[in-house]
Amino acid sequence: MSNQNTRPSRQLDVHKSSEHPEANAFVDAVLEAYFPDVFAAKGKKRNSFRADLKVLLLDLYVSWQEDPKQTIGVGMSNSFYKKSSRYNALHISYKIIEIVHMLRAAKLIGLREGSEWSGKVSRIWPLKKLIKLFEQAKFGLEDIEPTPDRECIILRNSQKNDIEYEDNANTHRMRADLRRYNQLLADTFIDIPSLNTPIIKKQGDGGNITITQNHKFVRRIFHNSSFAQGGRFYGGWWQNIPKEYRQKIYINNNPTIEDDFSALHIMLLYAKQGLEYDWDGDDPYYIPIKFINDYEQARLVGKLFLLTALNAKDKKSGFAAARNTFTDNDIRYKGEFDQKFFEDYLDKVKVKHPPLEEYLCSNAGVGLMNVDSQITEKIVKAFTTRGIPILCMHDSFIIQVQHDNELRTQMQKAVEQVSGTNNFKIKRKNIGLGQVTQWMHSDREYYLSSIKHLGEGNNNNSKNKRIRTKGYEKRMKTFYSSKL
């Protein structure tokens, strides 16, 4: 592989697990063919080597299936592997480093070594011999899952490193709830039926997002060594896809709707001060900009700036982040987004939203994330308890169309319990069954038409019509067969 630095990459997942007979046979075949001395050995030495080799091979296989060009970042320092860590459920040891070198010597993988001091992580990828074995493998992605004991409650320090912590009643409760949710996701088929090949091309870096039943594990991540900061739910391929694809998601072969809290963090800050935003006035994100005539783009600038300012620790970092965010969203007005613009715009935000002034550019974001994570926790738990799968996007939720009314009810209930007010707006993408049913008697023609196109977009646009491709049908059949 050439130009590894330009290839998409992700970190090694040390929690890949499979007890499928063919997966175990695959690992044993590699062990016997390329490491005969270890294969012939008995006891702890063989078992430990095989466990580490299995994690490497399974994750290389998953990565190759996700994107053949993708590399895996792997720590080549002993400090990366702590067998007793709560974040290493399979107890992978530093000896995995030796196995990486042995796989390279066997010409099964490529390796570009980095250096810990420079922050450049080493990368590995399968070579032709291993790829050929992958192509002949008699197991699939659906047979590889995260180990059930994988830690899902993550605490990070200010350097964004995972750190150990002492469990208490709260962490035990959060973990139990999240493991039940992850088990429900593991048993749920989540896919996009219009994709014959389950790949969405990324913009920019040329990589791929693979729609797979293998990437549904969700974690809660807390920040700054505090369970009072952060705590959002992260994970699941649906969080990484472009938003236009989210309305095309099916859950257990049923179309979905997405309900979204409007300007959630702004409304939470109003509620914190016992105030309510006047929804009859302007959109909370819209502030006129003299060189932008398009209302929607001016609103987007306002939204991106506000969210960036709430997460920034100071004006300098906030303005720099906002400028980068505008570029990422293709908002380009040469020379206009200078220091004076941002200073003036920040003043206009304070005039429009006086209750926000003390929170702007003061690192308020992680605290707000903790509040919205409490709302998410209540909503997810309400549906998980009933065995109804739901997907979360921090301030929006995706659920099967037949549960649309229930979702809205639970969102309103949760936000009121956490914030103390119900002055929140919820926007909907796609059409839900509850919306359609209200027209059953008063407008029969509209009702029948809407039932026909349920879940296919708010405007029944032909471009949004859902097609169950052959690839999707095959993936669904394979998934349900694996659950028998």
Side-chain angles (χ1 to χ4, degrees):
M1 177 184 281
S2 60
N3 299 321
Q4 294 88 8
N5 288 330
T6 64
R7 303 282 183 173
S9 183
R10 65 164 174 79
Q11 282 297 107
L12 173 70
D13 185 348
V14 297
H15 297 101
K16 286 289 187 290
S17 177
S18 177
E19 292 308 318
H20 192 282
E22 292 294 345
N24 284 323
F26 178 87
V27 174
D28 288 333
V30 172
L31 186 63
E32 182 176 18
Y34 294 95
F35 311 104
D37 292 343
V38 179
F39 182 80
K42 295 182 179 180
K44 186 176 180 180
K45 178 182 177 182
R46 180 185 189 278
N47 293 339
S48 177
F49 186 97
R50 184 185 182 279
D52 291 351
L53 175 65
K54 183 176 181 179
V55 166
L56 274 173
L57 291 176
L58 290 181
D59 203 32
L60 281 162
Y61 174 79
V62 170
S63 176
W64 173 74
Q65 287 278 18
E66 290 171 345
D67 185 347
K69 296 180 180 180
Q70 183 169 257
T71 65
I72 293 178
V74 57
M76 298 297 279
S77 168
N78 291 359
S79 62
F80 278 90
Y81 305 97
K82 299 176 182 178
K83 291 188 71 172
S84 61
S85 171
R86 66 169 62 245
Y87 304 113
N88 186 1
L90 290 176
H91 307 296
I92 302 305
S93 76
Y94 65 87
K95 294 181 180 179
I96 200 170
I97 299 169
E98 179 184 357
I99 298 176
V100 168
H101 287 297
M102 294 172 74
L103 288 171
R104 179 173 68 167
K107 297 183 178 179
L108 290 173
I109 66 170
L111 168 64
R112 183 188 65 76
E113 295 192 64
S115 58
E116 190 174 359
W117 65 269
S118 68
K120 293 183 179 180
V121 178
S122 298
R123 297 185 184 187
I124 61 174
W125 60 93
L127 295 178
K128 288 182 180 179
K129 283 200 296 187
L130 185 54
I131 290 173
K132 186 175 182 180
L133 294 176
F134 286 162
E135 291 171 340
Q136 297 169 350
K138 296 179 181 178
F139 62 94
L141 284 175
E142 66 279 358
D143 301 310
I144 302 172
E145 296 180 337
T147 178
D149 296 328
R150 180 179 180 181
E151 183 59 80
C152 55
I153 304 300
I154 314 298
L155 183 62
R156 290 180 175 166
N157 60 21
S158 57
Q159 287 76 46
K160 300 183 180 180
N161 296 318
D162 296 350
I163 60 174
E164 304 296 329
Y165 57 87
E166 292 292 329
D167 274 313
N168 55 35
N170 189 44
T171 59
H172 283 306
R173 176 191 57 78
M174 290 191 295
R175 185 178 299 109
D177 288 346
L178 197 48
R179 282 183 172 170
R180 282 190 288 270
Y181 176 55
N182 273 315
Q183 186 58 57
L184 177 59
L185 292 178
D187 294 336
T188 302
F189 182 64
I190 308 166
D191 207 311
I192 297 178
S194 58
L195 295 178
N196 190 49
T197 301
I199 290 175
I200 297 173
K201 294 287 184 182
K202 284 184 182 177
Q203 294 181 347
D205 65 7
N208 295 329
I209 301 169
T210 302
I211 309 305
T212 168
Q213 305 309 305
N214 194 260
H215 278 177
K216 298 184 293 189
F217 185 82
V218 174
R219 304 175 295 165
R220 293 189 68 178
I221 300 177
F222 294 85
H223 302 290
N224 298 325
S225 306
S226 171
F227 285 106
Q229 297 194 22
R232 279 182 160 181
F233 291 60
Y234 292 94
W237 55 260
W238 46 89
Q239 289 191 351
N240 299 321
I241 63 175
K243 61 182 180 180
E244 61 266 24
Y245 280 92
R246 296 208 300 257
Q247 62 183 302
K248 301 177 182 180
I249 292 174
Y250 269 38
I251 297 177
N252 283 334
N253 203 29
N254 286 306
T256 59
I257 57 96
E258 180 179 1
D259 274 353
D260 179 6
F261 283 118
S262 296
L264 179 60
H265 281 185
I266 295 176
M267 298 307 113
L268 288 174
L269 289 174
Y270 270 77
K272 186 175 182 179
Q273 298 180 56
L275 302 171
E276 292 189 351
Y277 182 74
D278 180 10
W279 285 103
D280 293 329
D282 288 337
D283 183 287
Y285 288 129
Y286 178 72
I287 296 175
I289 301 172
K290 64 181 181 180
F291 56 86
I292 300 180
N293 295 322
D294 182 83
Y295 176 90
E296 289 300 328
Q297 188 158 67
R299 180 187 182 276
L300 180 58
V301 167
K303 179 178 180 179
L304 296 175
F305 179 85
L306 251 168
L307 295 180
T308 302
L310 288 172
N311 284 286
K313 63 181 180 180
D314 53 41
K315 290 200 294 186
K316 181 179 179 180
S317 61
F319 293 171
R323 190 179 289 109
N324 291 334
T325 302
F326 294 166
T327 301
D328 291 342
N329 285 269
D330 202 27
I331 303 172
R332 303 172 189 272
Y333 292 86
K334 189 174 181 180
E336 296 290 357
F337 296 125
D338 56 13
Q339 183 72 15
K340 185 177 185 306
F341 168 83
F342 285 118
E343 292 283 0
D344 291 345
Y345 198 81
L346 181 61
D347 289 339
K348 290 177 181 178
V349 170
K350 293 175 181 178
V351 171
K352 184 179 179 71
H353 296 293
L356 270 58
E357 182 170 358
E358 66 178 286
Y359 300 100
L360 296 169
C361 300
S362 62
N363 205 27
V366 287
L368 290 167
M369 290 177 190
N370 188 259
V371 178
D372 73 45
S373 78
Q374 295 174 44
I375 296 169
T376 297
E377 179 183 53
K378 290 181 179 295
I379 295 166
V380 168
K381 185 173 182 178
F383 286 102
T384 300
T385 301
R386 298 172 54 199
I388 299 172
I390 183 171
L391 314 181
C392 48
M393 305 293 301
H394 308 317
D395 58 2
S396 72
F397 303 87
I398 298 171
I399 202 165
Q400 294 157 300
V401 292
Q402 60 267 39
H403 301 297
D404 62 332
N405 282 346
E406 298 167 80
L407 174 57
R408 182 153 297 201
T409 297
Q410 289 298 334
M411 289 174 70
Q412 291 169 334
K413 180 179 178 181
V415 77
E416 185 169 3
Q417 288 176 341
V418 172
S419 72
T421 179
N422 60 4
N423 186 44
F424 291 82
K425 270 193 173 182
I426 299 174
K427 296 184 298 185
R428 170 156 299 169
K429 296 167 187 156
N430 283 353
I431 302 172
L433 182 62
Q435 291 173 279
V436 173
T437 304
Q438 64 181 325
W439 297 99
M440 183 185 300
H441 302 295
S442 59
D443 192 334
R444 187 71 175 172
E445 184 177 346
Y446 177 79
Y447 166 74
L448 293 174
S449 174
S450 297
I451 283 289
K452 179 180 178 181
H453 299 296
L454 198 63
E456 295 179 351
N458 284 320
N459 299 318
N460 292 337
N461 190 317
S462 60
K463 291 191 297 183
N464 291 332
K465 295 290 187 287
R466 310 263 189 113
I467 301 171
R468 290 179 174 85
T469 60
K470 289 183 179 180
Y472 168 81
E473 296 280 5
K474 182 179 179 180
R475 295 192 298 274
M476 181 168 58
K477 182 179 179 181
T478 300
F479 174 80
Y480 287 123
S481 295
S482 73
K483 297 297 178 182
L484 295 177

